[in-house]
mmCIF file of all heavy atoms in Angstrom:
data_model
loop_
_atom_site.group_PDB
_atom_site.id
_atom_site.type_symbol
_atom_site.label_atom_id
_atom_site.label_comp_id
_atom_site.label_asym_id
_atom_site.label_seq_id
_atom_site.Cartn_x
_atom_site.Cartn_y
_atom_site.Cartn_z
ATOM 1 N N GLY A 9 -34.054 -8.450 33.986
ATOM 2 C CA GLY A 9 -34.644 -9.074 35.161
ATOM 3 C C GLY A 9 -35.946 -8.395 35.520
ATOM 4 O O GLY A 9 -36.445 -7.544 34.787
ATOM 5 N N MET A 10 -36.502 -8.788 36.639
ATOM 6 C CA MET A 10 -37.806 -8.283 37.077
ATOM 7 C C MET A 10 -38.836 -8.415 35.955
ATOM 8 O O MET A 10 -39.706 -7.564 35.775
ATOM 9 C CB MET A 10 -37.713 -6.828 37.542
ATOM 10 C CG MET A 10 -36.877 -6.631 38.785
ATOM 11 S SD MET A 10 -37.607 -7.407 40.234
ATOM 12 C CE MET A 10 -36.599 -6.722 41.561
ATOM 13 N N ARG A 11 -38.695 -9.511 35.205
ATOM 14 C CA ARG A 11 -39.630 -9.775 34.120
ATOM 15 C C ARG A 11 -40.969 -10.184 34.719
ATOM 16 O O ARG A 11 -41.036 -10.921 35.685
ATOM 17 C CB ARG A 11 -39.060 -10.854 33.210
ATOM 18 C CG ARG A 11 -37.758 -10.432 32.535
ATOM 19 C CD ARG A 11 -37.102 -11.567 31.772
ATOM 20 N NE ARG A 11 -37.968 -12.126 30.750
ATOM 21 C CZ ARG A 11 -38.224 -11.550 29.577
ATOM 22 N NH1 ARG A 11 -37.649 -10.373 29.274
ATOM 23 N NH2 ARG A 11 -39.028 -12.109 28.704
ATOM 24 N N GLY A 12 -42.040 -9.677 34.155
ATOM 25 C CA GLY A 12 -43.359 -9.897 34.730
ATOM 26 C C GLY A 12 -43.816 -8.733 35.580
ATOM 27 O O GLY A 12 -44.987 -8.629 35.919
ATOM 28 N N SER A 13 -42.875 -7.860 35.913
ATOM 29 C CA SER A 13 -43.242 -6.568 36.488
ATOM 30 C C SER A 13 -43.214 -5.592 35.317
ATOM 31 O O SER A 13 -42.135 -5.183 34.874
ATOM 32 C CB SER A 13 -42.250 -6.132 37.567
ATOM 33 O OG SER A 13 -42.582 -4.837 38.049
ATOM 34 N N PRO A 14 -44.383 -5.248 34.764
ATOM 35 C CA PRO A 14 -44.409 -4.508 33.504
ATOM 36 C C PRO A 14 -43.814 -3.104 33.630
ATOM 37 O O PRO A 14 -44.161 -2.348 34.537
ATOM 38 C CB PRO A 14 -45.896 -4.448 33.162
ATOM 39 C CG PRO A 14 -46.597 -4.625 34.466
ATOM 40 C CD PRO A 14 -45.726 -5.512 35.300
ATOM 41 N N THR A 15 -42.919 -2.786 32.718
ATOM 42 C CA THR A 15 -42.271 -1.474 32.679
ATOM 43 C C THR A 15 -42.528 -0.871 31.311
ATOM 44 O O THR A 15 -42.364 -1.553 30.294
ATOM 45 C CB THR A 15 -40.760 -1.593 32.917
ATOM 46 O OG1 THR A 15 -40.531 -2.319 34.124
ATOM 47 C CG2 THR A 15 -40.106 -0.226 33.028
ATOM 48 N N GLY A 16 -42.920 0.390 31.276
ATOM 49 C CA GLY A 16 -43.238 0.959 29.982
ATOM 50 C C GLY A 16 -43.230 2.473 29.956
ATOM 51 O O GLY A 16 -42.827 3.142 30.909
ATOM 52 N N GLU A 17 -43.688 2.977 28.835
ATOM 53 C CA GLU A 17 -43.738 4.411 28.558
ATOM 54 C C GLU A 17 -45.182 4.894 28.694
ATOM 55 O O GLU A 17 -46.125 4.175 28.347
ATOM 56 C CB GLU A 17 -43.238 4.655 27.132
ATOM 57 C CG GLU A 17 -43.287 6.102 26.679
ATOM 58 C CD GLU A 17 -42.938 6.261 25.208
ATOM 59 O OE1 GLU A 17 -43.170 5.303 24.433
ATOM 60 O OE2 GLU A 17 -42.445 7.335 24.827
ATOM 61 N N LEU A 18 -45.342 6.099 29.196
ATOM 62 C CA LEU A 18 -46.642 6.751 29.246
ATOM 63 C C LEU A 18 -46.603 7.967 28.326
ATOM 64 O O LEU A 18 -45.633 8.725 28.339
ATOM 65 C CB LEU A 18 -46.984 7.201 30.664
ATOM 66 C CG LEU A 18 -46.918 6.144 31.767
ATOM 67 C CD1 LEU A 18 -47.224 6.793 33.114
ATOM 68 C CD2 LEU A 18 -47.873 4.998 31.490
ATOM 69 N N VAL A 19 -47.659 8.149 27.547
ATOM 70 C CA VAL A 19 -47.701 9.241 26.577
ATOM 71 C C VAL A 19 -48.889 10.156 26.883
ATOM 72 O O VAL A 19 -50.017 9.687 27.082
ATOM 73 C CB VAL A 19 -47.816 8.695 25.136
ATOM 74 C CG1 VAL A 19 -47.889 9.846 24.135
ATOM 75 C CG2 VAL A 19 -46.634 7.783 24.813
ATOM 76 N N PHE A 20 -48.612 11.439 26.929
ATOM 77 C CA PHE A 20 -49.648 12.455 27.156
ATOM 78 C C PHE A 20 -49.710 13.349 25.926
ATOM 79 O O PHE A 20 -48.747 14.040 25.591
ATOM 80 C CB PHE A 20 -49.312 13.284 28.402
ATOM 81 C CG PHE A 20 -49.246 12.481 29.668
ATOM 82 C CD1 PHE A 20 -48.090 11.798 30.020
ATOM 83 C CD2 PHE A 20 -50.348 12.394 30.501
ATOM 84 C CE1 PHE A 20 -48.020 11.053 31.182
ATOM 85 C CE2 PHE A 20 -50.290 11.646 31.676
ATOM 86 C CZ PHE A 20 -49.128 10.975 32.012
ATOM 87 N N ASN A 21 -50.856 13.309 25.241
ATOM 88 C CA ASN A 21 -51.038 14.083 24.017
ATOM 89 C C ASN A 21 -52.294 14.936 24.175
ATOM 90 O O ASN A 21 -53.403 14.475 23.942
ATOM 91 C CB ASN A 21 -51.153 13.144 22.814
ATOM 92 C CG ASN A 21 -51.228 13.881 21.494
ATOM 93 O OD1 ASN A 21 -50.976 15.082 21.430
ATOM 94 N ND2 ASN A 21 -51.592 13.164 20.443
ATOM 95 N N ASP A 22 -52.082 16.192 24.613
ATOM 96 C CA ASP A 22 -53.205 17.077 24.917
ATOM 97 C C ASP A 22 -54.177 16.412 25.888
ATOM 98 O O ASP A 22 -55.394 16.384 25.682
ATOM 99 C CB ASP A 22 -53.941 17.508 23.642
ATOM 100 C CG ASP A 22 -53.123 18.455 22.788
ATOM 101 O OD1 ASP A 22 -52.261 19.174 23.340
ATOM 102 O OD2 ASP A 22 -53.333 18.471 21.554
ATOM 103 N N CYS A 23 -53.615 15.870 26.951
ATOM 104 C CA CYS A 23 -54.419 15.207 27.990
ATOM 105 C C CYS A 23 -54.952 16.268 28.947
ATOM 106 O O CYS A 23 -54.194 16.887 29.702
ATOM 107 C CB CYS A 23 -53.560 14.199 28.740
ATOM 108 S SG CYS A 23 -54.411 13.368 30.109
ATOM 109 N N GLU A 24 -56.257 16.504 28.889
ATOM 110 C CA GLU A 24 -56.873 17.552 29.706
ATOM 111 C C GLU A 24 -57.337 16.975 31.044
ATOM 112 O O GLU A 24 -58.019 15.952 31.081
ATOM 113 C CB GLU A 24 -58.045 18.188 28.962
ATOM 114 C CG GLU A 24 -57.621 18.932 27.695
ATOM 115 C CD GLU A 24 -58.756 19.716 27.063
ATOM 116 O OE1 GLU A 24 -59.773 19.968 27.760
ATOM 117 O OE2 GLU A 24 -58.626 20.095 25.889
ATOM 118 N N VAL A 25 -56.938 17.643 32.114
ATOM 119 C CA VAL A 25 -57.339 17.212 33.443
ATOM 120 C C VAL A 25 -57.891 18.398 34.223
ATOM 121 O O VAL A 25 -57.457 19.540 34.037
ATOM 122 C CB VAL A 25 -56.167 16.574 34.222
ATOM 123 C CG1 VAL A 25 -55.623 15.371 33.478
ATOM 124 C CG2 VAL A 25 -55.054 17.566 34.484
ATOM 125 N N ALA A 26 -58.828 18.109 35.102
ATOM 126 C CA ALA A 26 -59.428 19.153 35.929
ATOM 127 C C ALA A 26 -58.487 19.525 37.071
ATOM 128 O O ALA A 26 -57.591 18.757 37.443
ATOM 129 C CB ALA A 26 -60.760 18.671 36.475
ATOM 130 N N GLU A 27 -58.728 20.679 37.640
ATOM 131 C CA GLU A 27 -57.912 21.124 38.772
ATOM 132 C C GLU A 27 -58.049 20.179 39.961
ATOM 133 O O GLU A 27 -57.144 20.068 40.793
ATOM 134 C CB GLU A 27 -58.313 22.541 39.178
ATOM 135 C CG GLU A 27 -57.356 23.187 40.159
ATOM 136 C CD GLU A 27 -57.465 24.703 40.171
ATOM 137 O OE1 GLU A 27 -58.360 25.258 39.524
ATOM 138 O OE2 GLU A 27 -56.624 25.334 40.849
ATOM 139 N N SER A 28 -59.168 19.459 40.003
ATOM 140 C CA SER A 28 -59.390 18.508 41.096
ATOM 141 C C SER A 28 -58.413 17.339 41.068
ATOM 142 O O SER A 28 -58.328 16.579 42.031
ATOM 143 C CB SER A 28 -60.824 17.972 41.037
ATOM 144 O OG SER A 28 -61.048 17.298 39.806
ATOM 145 N N GLN A 29 -57.665 17.197 39.960
ATOM 146 C CA GLN A 29 -56.685 16.107 39.852
ATOM 147 C C GLN A 29 -55.322 16.498 40.418
ATOM 148 O O GLN A 29 -54.421 15.664 40.472
ATOM 149 C CB GLN A 29 -56.527 15.679 38.389
ATOM 150 C CG GLN A 29 -57.801 15.175 37.737
ATOM 151 C CD GLN A 29 -58.491 14.092 38.514
ATOM 152 O OE1 GLN A 29 -59.634 14.235 38.935
ATOM 153 N NE2 GLN A 29 -57.787 12.993 38.744
ATOM 154 N N VAL A 30 -55.147 17.736 40.816
ATOM 155 C CA VAL A 30 -53.886 18.151 41.431
ATOM 156 C C VAL A 30 -53.809 17.583 42.839
ATOM 157 O O VAL A 30 -54.750 17.714 43.627
ATOM 158 C CB VAL A 30 -53.767 19.694 41.472
ATOM 159 C CG1 VAL A 30 -52.545 20.123 42.286
ATOM 160 C CG2 VAL A 30 -53.678 20.263 40.061
ATOM 161 N N MET A 31 -52.680 16.948 43.157
ATOM 162 C CA MET A 31 -52.474 16.402 44.500
ATOM 163 C C MET A 31 -51.388 17.205 45.189
ATOM 164 O O MET A 31 -50.259 17.301 44.686
ATOM 165 C CB MET A 31 -52.081 14.924 44.435
ATOM 166 C CG MET A 31 -52.005 14.264 45.808
ATOM 167 S SD MET A 31 -51.736 12.479 45.753
ATOM 168 C CE MET A 31 -49.961 12.411 45.400
ATOM 169 N N GLY A 32 -51.730 17.775 46.324
ATOM 170 C CA GLY A 32 -50.778 18.646 46.992
ATOM 171 C C GLY A 32 -50.805 20.036 46.376
ATOM 172 O O GLY A 32 -51.612 20.329 45.496
ATOM 173 N N PRO A 33 -49.901 20.913 46.795
ATOM 174 C CA PRO A 33 -49.920 22.295 46.308
ATOM 175 C C PRO A 33 -49.430 22.429 44.873
ATOM 176 O O PRO A 33 -48.542 21.703 44.438
ATOM 177 C CB PRO A 33 -48.981 23.023 47.280
ATOM 178 C CG PRO A 33 -48.078 21.955 47.803
ATOM 179 C CD PRO A 33 -48.875 20.700 47.834
ATOM 180 N N GLU A 34 -50.037 23.370 44.143
ATOM 181 C CA GLU A 34 -49.535 23.676 42.797
ATOM 182 C C GLU A 34 -48.091 24.171 42.908
ATOM 183 O O GLU A 34 -47.745 24.939 43.811
ATOM 184 C CB GLU A 34 -50.392 24.756 42.133
ATOM 185 C CG GLU A 34 -49.966 25.047 40.694
ATOM 186 C CD GLU A 34 -50.804 26.132 40.041
ATOM 187 O OE1 GLU A 34 -51.092 27.142 40.729
ATOM 188 O OE2 GLU A 34 -51.162 25.975 38.865
ATOM 189 N N ASN A 35 -47.240 23.681 42.022
ATOM 190 C CA ASN A 35 -45.802 23.991 42.018
ATOM 191 C C ASN A 35 -45.081 23.464 43.264
ATOM 192 O O ASN A 35 -43.943 23.846 43.532
ATOM 193 C CB ASN A 35 -45.553 25.495 41.855
ATOM 194 C CG ASN A 35 -46.005 26.008 40.500
ATOM 195 O OD1 ASN A 35 -45.863 25.316 39.491
ATOM 196 N ND2 ASN A 35 -46.551 27.218 40.465
ATOM 197 N N GLY A 36 -45.761 22.581 43.985
ATOM 198 C CA GLY A 36 -45.127 21.986 45.169
ATOM 199 C C GLY A 36 -44.768 20.524 44.967
ATOM 200 O O GLY A 36 -44.570 19.777 45.936
ATOM 201 N N GLY A 37 -44.690 20.109 43.710
ATOM 202 C CA GLY A 37 -44.459 18.709 43.397
ATOM 203 C C GLY A 37 -43.129 18.162 43.863
ATOM 204 O O GLY A 37 -43.022 16.983 44.217
ATOM 205 N N VAL A 38 -42.100 19.010 43.858
ATOM 206 C CA VAL A 38 -40.795 18.527 44.309
ATOM 207 C C VAL A 38 -40.853 18.155 45.790
ATOM 208 O O VAL A 38 -40.263 17.159 46.219
ATOM 209 C CB VAL A 38 -39.689 19.560 44.028
ATOM 210 C CG1 VAL A 38 -38.404 19.226 44.781
ATOM 211 C CG2 VAL A 38 -39.389 19.614 42.540
ATOM 212 N N GLY A 39 -41.585 18.933 46.561
ATOM 213 C CA GLY A 39 -41.753 18.606 47.975
ATOM 214 C C GLY A 39 -42.482 17.291 48.158
ATOM 215 O O GLY A 39 -42.109 16.466 49.012
ATOM 216 N N VAL A 40 -43.534 17.072 47.358
ATOM 217 C CA VAL A 40 -44.269 15.807 47.408
ATOM 218 C C VAL A 40 -43.342 14.660 47.034
ATOM 219 O O VAL A 40 -43.263 13.630 47.725
ATOM 220 C CB VAL A 40 -45.481 15.848 46.451
ATOM 221 C CG1 VAL A 40 -46.184 14.494 46.411
ATOM 222 C CG2 VAL A 40 -46.453 16.943 46.862
ATOM 223 N N LEU A 41 -42.611 14.846 45.945
ATOM 224 C CA LEU A 41 -41.722 13.817 45.425
ATOM 225 C C LEU A 41 -40.620 13.479 46.420
ATOM 226 O O LEU A 41 -40.421 12.317 46.776
ATOM 227 C CB LEU A 41 -41.125 14.311 44.098
ATOM 228 C CG LEU A 41 -40.273 13.402 43.238
ATOM 229 C CD1 LEU A 41 -40.261 13.940 41.813
ATOM 230 C CD2 LEU A 41 -38.833 13.311 43.725
ATOM 231 N N MET A 42 -39.917 14.499 46.872
ATOM 232 C CA MET A 42 -38.766 14.265 47.752
ATOM 233 C C MET A 42 -39.190 13.685 49.091
ATOM 234 O O MET A 42 -38.481 12.865 49.682
ATOM 235 C CB MET A 42 -37.985 15.562 47.961
ATOM 236 C CG MET A 42 -37.382 16.147 46.690
ATOM 237 S SD MET A 42 -36.236 15.024 45.855
ATOM 238 C CE MET A 42 -34.843 15.071 46.975
ATOM 239 N N SER A 43 -40.366 14.077 49.572
ATOM 240 C CA SER A 43 -40.829 13.581 50.870
ATOM 241 C C SER A 43 -41.101 12.085 50.836
ATOM 242 O O SER A 43 -41.074 11.417 51.870
ATOM 243 C CB SER A 43 -42.109 14.313 51.290
ATOM 244 O OG SER A 43 -43.220 13.881 50.513
ATOM 245 N N GLY A 44 -41.379 11.551 49.637
ATOM 246 C CA GLY A 44 -41.678 10.134 49.524
ATOM 247 C C GLY A 44 -40.476 9.251 49.272
ATOM 248 O O GLY A 44 -40.558 8.030 49.405
ATOM 249 N N LEU A 45 -39.328 9.862 48.909
ATOM 250 C CA LEU A 45 -38.172 9.062 48.505
ATOM 251 C C LEU A 45 -37.611 8.217 49.639
ATOM 252 O O LEU A 45 -37.194 7.075 49.425
ATOM 253 C CB LEU A 45 -37.081 9.966 47.928
ATOM 254 C CG LEU A 45 -37.351 10.545 46.536
ATOM 255 C CD1 LEU A 45 -36.177 11.404 46.088
ATOM 256 C CD2 LEU A 45 -37.610 9.449 45.509
ATOM 257 N N ASP A 46 -37.573 8.774 50.854
ATOM 258 C CA ASP A 46 -37.043 8.002 51.981
ATOM 259 C C ASP A 46 -37.878 6.749 52.215
ATOM 260 O O ASP A 46 -37.339 5.661 52.468
ATOM 261 C CB ASP A 46 -37.025 8.845 53.257
ATOM 262 C CG ASP A 46 -36.054 10.012 53.173
ATOM 263 O OD1 ASP A 46 -35.209 10.008 52.261
ATOM 264 O OD2 ASP A 46 -36.151 10.911 54.025
ATOM 265 N N TYR A 47 -39.206 6.889 52.122
ATOM 266 C CA TYR A 47 -40.091 5.752 52.346
ATOM 267 C C TYR A 47 -39.993 4.762 51.188
ATOM 268 O O TYR A 47 -40.033 3.547 51.395
ATOM 269 C CB TYR A 47 -41.528 6.243 52.526
ATOM 270 C CG TYR A 47 -41.650 7.315 53.586
ATOM 271 C CD1 TYR A 47 -42.175 8.572 53.309
ATOM 272 C CD2 TYR A 47 -41.200 7.073 54.888
ATOM 273 C CE1 TYR A 47 -42.263 9.548 54.277
ATOM 274 C CE2 TYR A 47 -41.288 8.052 55.869
ATOM 275 C CZ TYR A 47 -41.812 9.289 55.556
ATOM 276 O OH TYR A 47 -41.884 10.262 56.525
ATOM 277 N N GLU A 48 -39.865 5.294 49.978
ATOM 278 C CA GLU A 48 -39.696 4.426 48.810
ATOM 279 C C GLU A 48 -38.437 3.581 48.939
ATOM 280 O O GLU A 48 -38.464 2.357 48.749
ATOM 281 C CB GLU A 48 -39.620 5.276 47.537
ATOM 282 C CG GLU A 48 -39.279 4.479 46.289
ATOM 283 C CD GLU A 48 -39.048 5.361 45.073
ATOM 284 O OE1 GLU A 48 -39.435 6.552 45.105
ATOM 285 O OE2 GLU A 48 -38.471 4.858 44.082
#
């Protein structure tokens, strides 16, 4: 079901990103993630 809502895999192969791409605190991702679950 939910056909037409595309679902897929993302692949990262030596994907280099700048520090400016970090959202929220470093090593604080679980807090970011969990804080959004209630709203999700």
